[in-house]
């Protein structure tokens, strides 16, 4: 006996239930639609907080940890490394936030569009009743973005966007670079405390000892919290990519109808084909090449 969820999906498979006459044709694209940005208050606030915390870490690392250091080589090396990773983290965040995650055209479930698909008898099509669009396989509707997103993993308020087919690479890079700068900051704070215990506190910082301690404690709290959160998120994302199963598909325990690929091929689908240093760059758009994004079991 089928459960209610299965019966609902069987109903969706019947063309008579698509009701294309209820859908308004999608509006024509204008110049203002070229950049993707979700106007969600919570997401915008979370995005601003993310950038503020990175800039706070930059301030403490540069003005409290590195500039007062007597070893110039130590300051230059760690300053270049930390600022480089922070720049890549913010660039990845911006790309994850402003890249269309794979939104399905809104309102395309019109009679004309359905006829243009030239569906074969018995061929399965899905219509989203919320955004009135024909849903591709593995697409899910996001209540915040108000769109159906291809291979949607989840909606992340920290990047004010869905993590989907087109921006998962940038989200993974964002979590990786944030985890790296958090770990780097914690290591530098540990060395700084060791140095200050051996020297006069007034000589190891341009700020007063109480202010220095407060700034470093806040940085430690921020670094530890972000390290744990982003490292766990990075691990779950890599696992999701390797198994070729999004977070929503795992949560809903959806039946796997797509062909199983190797873990390496799944990585190429997200980061680009073939493997190159561009995998680590938020400025390089993934080139799938021979990596087939959709392979289904016939």
């Amino acid at each position: 006996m089928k459960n209610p969820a299965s019966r609902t999906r069987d109903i969706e498979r019947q063309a008579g239930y698509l009701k294309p006459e209820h859908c308004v044709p999608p509006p024509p694209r204008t110049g203002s639609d070229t950049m993707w940005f979700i106007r969600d208050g919570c997401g915008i606030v979370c995005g601003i907080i993310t950038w503020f915390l990175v800039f706070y870490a930059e301030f403490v690392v540069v003005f409290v940890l590195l500039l007062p250091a007597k070893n110039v080589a130590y300051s230059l090396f760690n300053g270049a490394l930390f600022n480089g990773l922070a720049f890549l983290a913010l660039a990845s965040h911006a790309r994850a936030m402003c890249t269309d995650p794979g939104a399905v055209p809104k309102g395309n479930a019109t009679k004309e569009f359905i006829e243009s698909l030239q569906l074969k008898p018995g061929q399965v099509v899905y219509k989203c009743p919320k955004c009135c669009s024909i849903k591709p396989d593995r697409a899910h509707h996001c209540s915040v973005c108000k769109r159906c997103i291809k291979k949607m993993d989840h909606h992340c308020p920290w990047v004010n966007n869905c993590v989907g087919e087109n921006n998962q690479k940038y989200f993974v890079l964002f979590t990786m670079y944030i985890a790296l700068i958090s770990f780097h900051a914690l290591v530098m704070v540990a060395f700084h405390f060791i140095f200050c215990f051996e020297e006069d506190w007034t000589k190891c910082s341009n700020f007063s000892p109480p202010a220095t301690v407060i700034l470093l404690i806040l940085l430690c709290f921020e670094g530890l919290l972000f390290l744990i959160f982003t490292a766990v998120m990075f691990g779950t994302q890599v696992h999701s990519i390797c198994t070729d199963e999004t977070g929503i598909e795992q949560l809903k325990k959806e039946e796997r109808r797509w062909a199983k690929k190797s873990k390496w091929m799944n990585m190429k689908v997200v980061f680009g084909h073939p493997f190159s240093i561009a995998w680590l760059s938020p400025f390089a758009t993934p080139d799938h090449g021979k990596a087939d994004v959709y392979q289904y079991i016939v």
Side-chain angles (χ1 to χ4, degrees):
M1 184 175 180
K2 295 182 179 181
N3 57 37
S6 299
R7 288 198 294 270
T8 300
R9 299 194 72 82
D10 288 340
I11 289 175
E12 289 180 349
R13 296 181 185 206
Q14 302 177 27
Y17 285 88
L18 290 177
K19 298 180 180 180
E21 66 275 5
H22 293 170
C23 292
V24 179
R29 292 181 64 88
T30 61
S32 60
D33 296 329
T34 55
M35 189 184 81
W36 177 272
F37 185 78
I38 301 300
R39 294 174 177 83
D40 174 59
C42 176
I44 293 173
V45 170
C46 288
I48 293 174
I49 291 175
T50 301
W51 280 63
F52 171 79
L53 291 175
V54 173
F55 282 126
Y56 171 78
E58 284 267 6
F59 170 79
V60 177
V61 167
V62 172
F63 292 99
V64 178
L65 299 178
L66 297 180
L67 286 183
K70 296 179 181 179
N71 192 326
V72 178
Y74 170 86
S75 297
L76 290 177
F77 173 78
N78 284 284
L81 179 61
F82 185 87
N83 284 279
L85 292 175
F87 173 75
L88 291 173
L90 293 178
S92 301
H93 183 272
R95 289 300 301 273
M97 180 170 57
C98 298
T99 297
D100 182 347
V104 179
K106 194 173 184 179
N108 69 348
T110 60
K111 183 177 180 180
E112 293 76 12
F113 180 76
I114 295 175
E115 291 176 350
S116 69
L117 296 177
Q118 298 180 347
L119 300 175
K120 299 177 182 178
Q123 186 173 352
V124 176
V125 289
Y126 299 91
K127 171 195 168 185
C128 176
K130 298 177 182 178
C131 61
C132 212
S133 63
I134 297 298
K135 293 175 64 175
D137 289 325
R138 305 188 70 181
H140 294 85
H141 185 85
C142 175
S143 58
V144 179
C145 297
K146 296 180 175 59
R147 299 286 289 275
C148 284
I149 307 297
K150 299 175 185 176
K151 290 186 69 175
M152 174 182 171
D153 186 87
H154 69 287
H155 183 92
C156 178
W158 295 105
V159 297
N160 188 34
N161 201 1
C162 275
V163 177
E165 179 179 286
N166 295 340
N167 69 341
Q168 188 173 24
K169 170 193 173 180
Y170 310 125
F171 181 76
V172 173
L173 291 180
F174 166 66
T175 58
M176 182 184 73
Y177 287 127
I178 289 293
L180 288 176
I181 65 173
S182 299
F183 178 75
H184 188 200
L186 289 173
V187 171
M188 286 190 290
V189 169
F191 278 114
H192 196 76
F193 269 117
I194 294 174
F195 170 77
C196 287
F197 276 126
E198 296 177 353
E199 299 287 340
D200 186 1
W201 274 90
T202 57
K203 296 180 181 180
C204 67
S205 175
N206 294 328
F207 297 88
S208 64
T212 301
V213 171
I214 293 174
L215 290 171
L216 293 179
I217 289 177
L218 291 176
L219 179 62
C220 284
F221 178 76
E222 175 192 346
L224 187 60
L225 187 65
F226 269 72
L227 175 60
I228 295 174
F229 177 75
T230 55
V232 171
M233 184 59 69
F234 174 78
T236 56
Q237 284 294 300
V238 172
H239 176 266
S240 176
I241 293 171
C242 290
T243 58
D244 192 20
E245 191 174 22
T246 66
I248 285 186
E249 290 167 348
Q250 294 176 14
L251 185 64
K252 292 185 175 182
K253 297 180 179 180
E254 294 186 356
E255 178 186 358
R256 188 184 185 97
R257 293 180 291 105
W258 53 94
K260 187 175 182 180
K261 301 186 290 289
S262 67
K263 295 179 180 179
W264 187 241
M265 182 58 69
N266 290 330
M267 293 290 287
K268 290 180 179 179
V269 168
V270 174
F271 290 94
H273 182 90
F275 170 76
S276 69
I277 193 65
W279 279 26
L280 301 177
S281 172
F283 303 103
T285 302
D287 180 13
H288 299 301
K290 298 180 181 179
D292 191 358
V293 180
Y294 295 100
Q295 287 182 334
Y296 293 94
I297 301 174
V298 180

